[in-house]
Amino acid sequence: AGAWLAGSPRSIETLLARLQSHGTDALDGDVDPEHAPVSVTMRLSLQDLEALDGGEAATDLLRLCAHLDGDGIPDAVLAAYSDRAIAALCALSLASRDGAGLWVHRLVQEAIRRTLTAEAPRSWMVRAVEAVAAATPDFSRPDWPSVASLLPQWRLCAQHVRTAGIASEAAAHVLHQAGRFCRIRALYDESEALQTSAIALTRAVFGASSVALSDAVDELACLYRETDRLDEAAPLHAEAVAIARAALGDRDPVVASRLHNQAL
């Protein structure tokens, strides 16, 4: 980027506009002769990475990171990868590490995505959703500060679910838990959108008489109740109770919880 700006008296705003329109190709056509184009630099960096001991896993990790929010990826999301793979990315300046997790520059992410074949992005979106789902606990209200770092990843995963049409247990789990978190944080509009999507996806994945569907419907009912939309909350609470009874019988604690929320 510095070489591109040095080529003529152009503004950073012009560079940002070019990047948004043309991606990293914007940096490849007009650069300082002393600097290689981004595409060449990235290709050489990937070759160096693959040549390292454990380079295949590190390359795999980098492609996953290209489909996550790069501004602080929590360690829990990267639990399937070794410290050696993470260290390899940092050694080649493809990522950096601090107490909040792993950071990957957006330009690096864009360049990595451009190295993939046309069919590959969807598979990496699926893997990103699965990695975030594995790191997402079924948290209670007092636990929410401990999962706050996952919110940017949940938001991006929700985009992946829409963009790639992902219908899986992992996707349903992420949308539901993200919706719960946003309700606790009083992000009500975002919570409603996430939970509505979670209900549709849960119904498709788990069926119409599953405990997971009762959970999702009850969560949206609680949101409506808390925001004084009682006419919308009441039928959803009744539906959540009916689904739980059909799945578990009348004497299960989950049914009691649904009845409690309906009574409120």
Side-chain angles (χ1 to χ4, degrees), residues 151-232:
L151 181 57
Q153 309 304 332
W154 289 333
R155 286 171 167 159
L156 185 56
C157 283
Q159 293 181 29
H160 290 340
V161 169
R162 291 192 297 270
T163 300
I166 302 171
S168 65
E169 293 184 15
H173 177 65
V174 166
L175 293 179
H176 174 57
Q177 299 298 338
R180 288 182 63 211
F181 178 84
C182 287
R183 177 172 68 87
I184 293 169
R185 290 287 299 272
L187 302 170
Y188 294 125
D189 290 343
E190 187 172 9
S191 176
E192 181 178 4
L194 288 165
Q195 209 60 48
T196 301
S197 297
I199 289 172
L201 191 54
T202 302
R203 196 185 303 275
V205 172
F206 291 96
S209 59
S210 67
V211 177
L213 181 59
S214 178
D215 290 343
V217 172
D218 184 71
E219 178 63 32
L220 184 59
C222 289
L223 169 64
Y224 288 158
R225 190 184 74 245
E226 289 181 6
T227 53
D228 293 326
R229 296 163 65 178
L230 303 184
D231 289 343
E232 294 171 271

